[in-house]
């Protein structure tokens, strides 16, 4: 089997194809949108799964530290639209760098971390508060992108060109200003945003790989339709090719789990060698 016979290298057949998204970013967006639709038609759902500032007084509601990150304000469409747009805009490249499994764990832990920071920031205030939204994890994704690609040019507000590190500093600076002015800041949870930014900075500086702390069997579910099995009768000439394919498969699995940045120079060279051999066979 050559590299072009694998699922990820096979050309798509013509016609319409309905299938579930395969990237972790798109799966997170789909889940978030589905949850939002449930919120629109079932009001108690939001009340059960949003994060309350005194959740720790009822430890059995600790699940809210995760579930709040998939909820959004039913009365404000911009809340979910902006969050999902920023996640899509920066998350795809972050996922490509770190791998689907690692990005998914990063995103989920960022939700919890941002929720804990917001909870701590609410301790001095007596007025009950509730937070919901993916903003903490989305800001974490944006900041991690900026840390990896600081000089990438973007258009701020679709108009003003600037390096990514400048844009990230502006966003974080506005969140700091909003957190300082908390009583007049309205309903925006600026401290949750700052919690996400802090988590991304720690993650990058410490070189964490969160998926390594989890059981090896945990991964992003593969919803892609599996190809039909094909029988291949090996010959004596196949031994070297089989050995090469086994090494290629191991490298591709590593890319999927840890991202392209995890490859060594020797692994990159082996992939280039395999690609040349497979191209020669297709001629």
């Amino acid at each position: 089997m050559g590299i072009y016979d694998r699922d990820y290298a096979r050309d798509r057949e013509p016609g319409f194809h309905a299938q579930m998204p395969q990237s972790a970013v798109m799966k997170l967006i789909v889940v978030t949108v589905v949850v939002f639709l449930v919120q629109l038609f079932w009001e108690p759902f939001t009340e059960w799964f949003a994060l309350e500032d005194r959740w720790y007084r009822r430890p059995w509601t600790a699940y809210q530290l995760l579930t709040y990150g998939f909820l959004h304000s039913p009365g404000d469409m911009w809340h979910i639209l902006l969050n999902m747009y920023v996640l899509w805009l920066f998350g795809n490249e972050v996922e490509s760098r770190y791998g689907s499994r690692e990005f998914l764990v990063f995103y989920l832990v960022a939700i919890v971390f941002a929720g804990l920071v917001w909870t701590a920031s609410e301790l001095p205030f007596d007025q009950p508060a509730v937070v919901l939204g993916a903003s903490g994890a989305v800001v974490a994704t944006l900041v991690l992108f900026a840390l990896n690609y600081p000089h990438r040019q973007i258009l701020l507000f679709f108009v003003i060109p600037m390096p990514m590190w400048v844009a990230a500093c502006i966003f974080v600076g506005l969140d700091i200003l909003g957190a300082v002015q908390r009583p007049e800041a309205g309903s925006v949870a600026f401290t949750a945003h700052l919690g996400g930014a802090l988590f991304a900075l720690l993650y990058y500086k410490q070189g964490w790989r969160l998926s390594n702390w989890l059981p090896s069997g945990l991964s992003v579910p593969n919803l892609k339709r599996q190809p039909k099995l094909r029988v291949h009768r090996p010959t004596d000439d196949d031994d070297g090719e089989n050995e090469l394919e086994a090494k290629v498969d191991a490298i591709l699995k590593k890319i999927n789990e840890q991202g392209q940045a995890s490859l060594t120079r020797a692994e990159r060279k082996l992939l280039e060698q395999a690609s040349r051999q497979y191209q020669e066979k297709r001629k």
Side-chain angles (χ1 to χ4, degrees), residues 127-250:
Q127 186 176 0
V130 175
V131 68
L132 70 169
S135 301
V138 170
V139 170
T141 302
L142 182 152
V143 170
L144 186 58
F145 180 93
L147 290 168
N148 280 283
Y149 309 103
H151 301 294
R152 181 74 58 86
Q153 291 287 320
I154 69 164
L155 291 177
L156 186 65
F157 306 125
F158 305 101
V159 176
I160 309 172
M162 64 178 56
M164 189 62 212
W165 72 268
V166 175
C169 288
I170 291 175
F171 289 130
V172 173
L174 291 174
D175 284 330
I176 293 174
L177 182 62
V180 171
Q181 298 176 340
R182 184 214 182 258
E184 296 80 25
S187 59
V188 179
F190 291 105
T191 52
H193 298 182
L194 293 175
L198 174 60
F199 176 72
L201 181 62
L202 292 173
Y203 177 88
Y204 180 81
K205 291 297 185 180
Q206 298 298 322
W208 290 336
R209 289 300 178 269
L210 302 175
S211 58
N212 293 339
W213 304 350
L214 300 176
S216 58
L218 181 64
S219 61
V220 180
N222 184 7
L223 304 177
K224 185 183 293 182
R225 186 177 177 182
Q226 296 298 319
K228 296 180 180 180
L229 295 175
R230 294 183 294 177
V231 177
H232 173 70
R233 302 183 182 280
T235 63
D236 293 339
D237 296 334
D238 290 332
D239 293 341
E241 181 179 340
N242 291 339
E243 181 179 356
L244 176 62
E245 289 184 354
K247 293 179 179 179
V248 169
D249 285 336

Side-chain angles (χ1 to χ4, degrees), residues 22-154:
Q22 299 307 309
S23 72
V25 167
M26 291 307 301
K27 289 175 183 176
L28 287 167
I29 292 175
V30 168
V31 170
T32 304
V33 170
V34 170
V35 168
F36 182 70
L37 293 176
V38 174
Q39 289 182 258
L40 292 178
F41 295 102
W42 191 17
E43 185 175 344
F45 189 84
T46 302
E47 299 175 3
W48 293 342
F49 295 105
L51 180 61
E52 300 176 2
D53 60 334
R54 299 297 188 263
W55 61 267
Y56 50 84
R57 294 178 179 174
R58 296 182 297 165
W60 57 89
T61 64
Y63 63 86
Q64 296 175 354
L65 282 169
L66 181 62
T67 57
Y68 86 94
F70 291 91
L71 303 176
H72 288 82
S73 175
D76 183 6
M77 286 293 295
W78 284 108
H79 190 202
I80 184 171
L81 288 176
L82 288 176
N83 274 340
M84 294 303 97
Y85 174 71
V86 175
L87 174 60
W88 171 81
L89 187 64
F90 299 109
N92 284 303
E93 198 153 353
V94 174
E95 178 182 349
S96 177
R97 183 172 184 84
Y98 290 94
S100 297
R101 170 185 164 97
E102 178 66 20
F103 178 77
L104 177 62
V105 179
F106 168 82
Y107 186 88
L108 297 179
V109 175
I111 291 175
V112 176
F113 190 93
L116 290 173
V117 171
W118 175 82
T119 300
S121 71
E122 291 296 317
L123 290 177
F125 303 97
D126 296 329
Q127 186 176 0
V130 175
V131 68
L132 70 169
S135 301
V138 170
V139 170
T141 302
L142 182 152
V143 170
L144 186 58
F145 180 93
L147 290 168
N148 280 283
Y149 309 103
H151 301 294
R152 181 74 58 86
Q153 291 287 320
I154 69 164

Side-chain angles (χ1 to χ4, degrees), residues 247-264:
K247 293 179 179 179
V248 169
D249 285 336
I251 295 174
L252 294 174
K253 181 179 179 182
K254 182 178 180 181
I255 292 175
N256 184 58
E257 293 181 352
Q258 303 178 31
Q260 298 179 16
S262 66
L263 296 184
T264 64

